[in-house]
Amino acid sequence: MVRVLGALDTAGLLQRARGVLIRRATDPWESHLGGIMNTMVPEPTIPSHQGPDAQTVLPGLDVVTIAAKGAHTQTHTHFWTLQLSREAARDEVLGALRAAPRIAFIRMSDGLVALNSTIELMRDLGRPRGDMWEVAIWEDLVTVTGNEAYLAYQVCNEAIVVPETIDAIRALSGTVTDAETSIRLTDRSLGMRQDFLTPPEDSDHDR
């Protein structure tokens, strides 16, 4: 949430955000212990905790989240209705997202039509455990009408925290004190992508 909404906020495009989160029911390695089948379980309060959590990082963010657990164990999906600060073109919104680190684009037209297909792509790319460190936005679903935008993205919650954790270790140890430098180092060493079907540029991971 902070990566995607923060990118639009940094570009001066975001006024408010309203999101619906469909969360996985349980961790894959614990699915034999519990979970839900053939149902969906709404969280008992609106807003759900994710919006206020994001505001601890971006205090001025006008955001409300509604969440539910789905009957699956792979990744979360977020659906957003965004009111922009002004009328904007779709290309401008996409440009703001592309300018931000740790966001990658996927497309239904490429066959990435569901959560499992993205996870399978991560395995095909040789990612350890099929990890997806980026937020995967469906590019062909991004819709902009006047001052409203709509988008959906997928988050691999087991892996999404890895890059920021590496940056936090550098910050605590004092080895790198500039955030942008640390982000570049981390993303380069992991082989992070802006588009999952386009190889990352100048990646140590690919050498």
Side-chain angles (χ1 to χ4, degrees):
M1 286 174 54
V2 170
R3 291 183 194 175
V4 174
L5 301 183
L8 297 173
D9 190 51
T10 297
L13 287 172
L14 185 65
Q15 182 168 337
R16 64 175 57 92
R18 302 295 182 258
V20 175
L21 287 60
I22 307 301
R23 303 173 60 225
R24 67 181 191 178
T26 187
D27 293 324
W29 58 89
E30 293 182 345
S31 55
H32 64 291
L33 300 177
I36 59 177
M37 288 286 290
N38 300 321
T39 190
M40 184 177 288
V41 182
E43 292 205 3
T45 59
I46 298 176
S48 60
H49 72 86
Q50 291 87 2
D53 287 352
Q55 288 169 330
T56 66
V57 182
L58 299 173
L61 194 64
D62 184 345
V63 61
V64 177
T65 52
I66 302 170
K69 292 180 183 177
H72 65 284
T73 63
Q74 289 184 322
T75 76
H76 301 335
T77 314
H78 295 200
F79 300 90
W80 288 95
T81 297
L82 309 173
Q83 183 172 349
L84 305 179
S85 57
R86 56 178 171 79
E87 290 192 4
R90 180 175 184 271
D91 285 346
E92 188 177 4
V93 172
L94 289 172
L97 296 170
R98 286 193 179 98
R102 300 174 180 172
I103 293 173
F105 287 96
I106 57 176
R107 288 168 292 277
M108 289 192 170
S109 59
D110 289 329
L112 300 172
V113 297
L115 307 185
N116 59 302
S117 54
T118 310
I119 294 300
E120 289 302 314
L121 176 62
M122 295 306 105
R123 293 174 177 146
D124 290 343
L125 293 174
R127 292 285 181 90
R129 299 171 303 276
D131 281 357
M132 184 171 69
W133 306 298
E134 304 88 342
V135 175
I137 296 179
W138 272 285
E139 182 179 11
D140 36 12
L141 288 185
V142 175
T143 301
V144 180
T145 304
N147 66 341
E148 290 187 325
Y150 310 91
L151 57 85
Y153 60 78
Q154 181 177 355
V155 174
C156 182
N157 56 303
E158 299 165 67
I160 196 74
V161 297
V162 169
E164 281 81 2
T165 301
I166 294 171
D167 294 336
I169 291 170
R170 285 204 191 95
L172 289 169
S173 64
T175 56
V176 178
T177 57
D178 176 66
E180 290 186 4
T181 300
S182 182
I183 289 169
R184 284 195 302 270
L185 287 170
T186 300
D187 294 0
R188 184 177 169 184
S189 64
L190 288 174
M192 301 271 275
R193 297 173 179 247
Q194 287 189 313
D195 188 305
F196 282 124
L197 296 181
T198 302
E201 295 181 2
D202 194 25
S203 170
D204 290 339
H205 181 74
D206 289 346
R207 290 177 180 169

